[in-house]
Amino acid sequence: ARPRVGYFYAGKSANQLLGEHVRKLMVKDYKSLPIVVKEETSAYDAICTMFLEDVGTLFVVKENKQLAGVVSRKDLLKTAMGKQDLQTIPVSIVMTRMPNIVTCSPDDSLLDAAAKLMRYQVDALPVVRPMEDGDGVEVIGRITKTTITKAFVELGQHTDV
Amino acid sequence: ARPRVGYFYAGKSANQLLGEHVRKLMVKDYKSLPIVVKEETSAYDAICTMFLEDVGTLFVVKENKQLAGVVSRKDLLKTAMGKQDLQTIPVSIVMTRMPNIVTCSPDDSLLDAAAKLMRYQVDALPVVRPMEDGDGVEVIGRITKTTITKAFVELGQHTDV
């Protein structure tokens, strides 16, 4: 059938083109630098790092850079509400641990990462790859709701080819 | 000139269609419910409300519902780091006050709201309208980076007309 003017092209609707374009955006092209701390870092120092680096999520890594956990502003606020001394509590006590961490890969689509942020109700995903030697994964980036908001703004600013 | 197959249609590129589509999304169709507290609410109770409602930003309102301030998880984490008793500090001390609050209107585009979230580096915008009687604005909703992430996921899921 002949395409309807202004709507179909080559059998594809504007919405199809839109979806296809969005699905082509890749995690590796949008990820930002991960901010990491060690397992023995105190909750106090973790909060300071969060403010200094202006991020809402820190990744906790072992000596060999293997991902051990994720700690959010929410986790630290909960800890700060308690009666304990923030200087003596290590982040390893309050973090979410592997294997309960939702991660993404540099070769995932940004759409899949955004869908994970929504489904698992987290603010950030570590971008990971398998460790070169041994078990576990290494953190090489981060994708947050800020990353997605930035990508959304870019989509809306498209006006030419 | 004759359109190139698979790319141009009716003089518009896929990118142009995409930009146009994104710019048509409106704040009023995406806003979620605002979670509000009063100026005399303690920092402690504000943190509890944040956890109970599972939000990262609270709006502080006066008796007549006029917007007085905005308080974020970050503001409260900073307060919790201090030596003061969270039960005796009112949120009005730690909040960002009018007129320093970045707001949006229900008739703004979601794109403009997303661009404000990025430009002013905030996690949430109150959706406001002028007070019916008197000065100031009334809060009628909220737009956050979660709202934008949800809209982004919807864009990527477009597959048909």
Side-chain angles (χ1 to χ4, degrees):
Chain A
R2 186 171 149 274
R4 278 194 285 155
V5 171
Y7 207 68
F8 287 94
Y9 183 60
K12 287 181 180 175
S13 70
N15 273 346
Q16 272 178 307
L17 289 171
L18 184 60
E20 277 178 22
H21 182 99
V22 172
R23 288 193 290 276
K24 276 181 201 152
L25 308 177
M26 301 294 286
V27 163
K28 60 170 162 266
D29 300 321
Y30 284 86
K31 68 183 167 62
S32 46
L33 286 177
I35 309 298
V36 303
V37 292
K38 292 180 181 173
E39 292 175 282
E40 60 271 23
T41 305
S42 70
Y44 185 91
D45 287 345
I47 296 172
C48 292
T49 302
M50 222 170 236
F51 279 108
L52 284 172
E53 302 283 352
D54 199 24
V55 291
T57 306
L58 300 172
F59 303 128
V60 184
V61 295
K62 302 190 183 198
E63 287 300 329
N64 61 357
K65 293 185 179 171
Q66 187 186 332
L67 177 65
V70 170
V71 65
S72 68
R73 208 176 265 157
K74 198 169 158 183
D75 295 327
L76 290 169
L77 186 56
K78 202 179 285 175
T79 310
M81 291 279 280
K83 298 294 171 197
Q84 297 150 290
D85 181 0
L86 292 176
Q87 309 247 20
T88 63
I89 306 174
V91 283
S92 55
I93 301 288
V94 299
M95 70 187 188
T96 299
R97 290 186 168 274
M98 285 297 276
N100 298 322
I101 302 171
V102 189
T103 65
C104 65
S105 143
D107 295 319
D108 287 344
S109 71
L110 196 60
L111 178 66
D112 284 344
K116 278 184 182 176
L117 289 169
M118 293 304 298
R119 191 177 331 126
Y120 296 99
Q121 301 185 20
V122 290
D123 285 331
L125 298 177
V127 182
V128 302
R129 65 178 173 208
M131 293 287 287
E132 280 186 18
D133 45 350
D135 295 333
V137 293
E138 181 184 6
V139 192
I140 56 169
R142 73 180 207 277
I143 293 286
T144 68
K145 286 177 184 167
T146 304
T147 317
I148 307 298
T149 302
K150 188 164 163 255
F152 180 89
V153 171
E154 285 175 14
L155 291 178
Q157 287 168 346
H158 277 309
T159 49
D160 57 12
V161 296
Chain B
R2 186 171 150 274
R4 279 194 284 154
V5 169
Y7 207 69
F8 288 95
Y9 184 60
K12 286 182 182 174
S13 69
N15 273 347
Q16 271 178 308
L17 289 171
L18 184 59
E20 277 177 20
H21 182 100
V22 172
R23 288 192 291 277
K24 275 181 201 155
L25 308 177
M26 302 293 286
V27 162
K28 61 169 161 267
D29 299 321
Y30 284 86
K31 69 182 167 62
S32 46
L33 287 176
I35 308 299
V36 303
V37 293
K38 293 180 180 174
E39 292 176 283
E40 60 272 23
T41 305
S42 70
Y44 185 92
D45 287 346
I47 296 172
C48 292
T49 302
M50 223 170 237
F51 279 108
L52 285 171
E53 301 283 352
D54 199 25
V55 292
T57 307
L58 300 172
F59 303 127
V60 185
V61 296
K62 302 188 182 198
E63 287 300 329
N64 62 356
K65 293 186 181 171
Q66 187 186 332
L67 177 64
V70 171
V71 66
S72 69
R73 209 176 266 159
K74 199 169 158 183
D75 296 326
L76 291 168
L77 186 56
K78 202 179 288 177
T79 310
M81 291 279 280
K83 298 296 173 197
Q84 297 150 293
D85 181 0
L86 291 175
Q87 309 247 21
T88 62
I89 306 174
V91 283
S92 55
I93 301 287
V94 299
M95 70 187 188
T96 299
R97 291 185 167 276
M98 285 297 276
N100 299 321
I101 302 171
V102 189
T103 65
C104 66
S105 142
D107 295 319
D108 287 345
S109 71
L110 196 60
L111 177 66
D112 285 345
K116 279 185 183 176
L117 289 169
M118 293 305 298
R119 192 177 328 126
Y120 296 99
Q121 300 185 20
V122 291
D123 285 331
L125 298 177
V127 182
V128 302
R129 65 180 173 208
M131 293 285 290
E132 279 186 17
D133 45 352
D135 297 331
V137 293
E138 182 184 6
V139 193
I140 56 168
R142 77 180 204 278
I143 293 286
T144 69
K145 287 177 184 167
T146 304
T147 317
I148 307 298
T149 302
K150 187 163 162 256
F152 180 89
V153 171
E154 285 175 13
L155 290 177
Q157 286 168 345
H158 278 308
T159 50
D160 57 10
V161 297

